[in-house]
Amino acid sequence: MPIQVLLNIFIAYLWMFLQDETSIINFIGGYIAGLFILFCIRRFFNKPFYLFTLVAVGKLFVIFIYELVISSMMVMKHVLRPKVDVKPGIFKVETDLEGDLEVTLLSLLICLTPGSVVMEITPDAKTLYIHGLNMPESKESVLKSKSVFEKAIKDVTRK
């Protein structure tokens, strides 16, 4: 992917310098022309077209922002209650992600779920032990978030 980005920037600069004037508009035009050229020759690269990966990263970011807003609302709901009524507990979650990057990203994103903290990851990186603040509610929300995040993480890291 880095070689594709560098090639696209090179094409954009080449396009800009071959025009009559050097401006940001010419650079953007060259960048779009470079995208088209790289898309046409994408089969010669080992990695998929980098724009697809950037779209997947953007999708993961949008999912992250959505979950962040929802978790903030849930935390405010717990904090603003007059009486704290929680049933903490520990549960395990199986994952089919592979590699340190994928599992670390999933564990960081799961910590975003309100009232849940990843306590430990097994050495084979297939099981996460999670502490939930309010057990029935926390486990359901973590499992829902896990499936959404796993799919988005796979879209970013595996192509």
Side-chain angles (χ1 to χ4, degrees), residues 4-14 27 31:
Q4 292 178 23
V5 174
L6 290 175
L7 263 172
N8 200 1
I9 292 172
F10 176 74
I11 291 169
Y13 272 112
L14 189 64
F27 181 79
Y31 195 82

Side-chain angles (χ1 to χ4, degrees), residues 36-127:
F36 177 73
I37 291 168
L38 287 176
F39 183 75
C40 290
I41 63 170
R42 70 185 182 278
R43 64 186 170 135
F44 297 109
F45 296 112
N46 295 339
K47 303 276 184 177
F49 185 51
Y50 82 94
L51 202 57
F52 298 148
T53 305
L54 288 179
V55 168
V57 168
K59 180 181 163 188
L60 179 63
F61 184 71
V62 168
I63 291 170
F64 166 73
I65 294 298
Y66 173 77
E67 291 290 329
L68 180 66
V69 169
I70 297 299
S71 73
S72 297
M73 301 265 188
M74 295 296 290
V75 168
M76 281 190 333
K77 185 177 99 173
H78 282 292
V79 168
L80 294 176
R81 282 186 186 159
K83 182 180 179 222
V84 179
D85 183 30
V86 293
K87 298 170 192 79
I90 298 172
F91 58 96
K92 74 177 187 174
V93 173
E94 301 286 329
T95 183
D96 59 342
L97 294 177
E98 300 169 354
D100 292 339
L101 174 69
E102 292 180 353
V103 174
T104 302
L105 189 55
L106 177 67
S107 65
L108 290 172
L109 292 172
I110 283 179
C111 286
L112 179 68
T113 307
S116 63
V117 176
V118 177
M119 294 174 31
E120 186 174 352
I121 301 171
T122 57
D124 65 349
K126 294 294 179 189
T127 306

Side-chain angles (χ1 to χ4, degrees), residues 130-145:
I130 300 172
H131 177 270
L133 183 64
N134 201 3
M135 265 316 284
E137 184 180 306
S138 291
K139 188 172 183 177
E140 291 171 9
S141 63
V142 165
L143 291 175
K144 185 186 95 160
S145 296

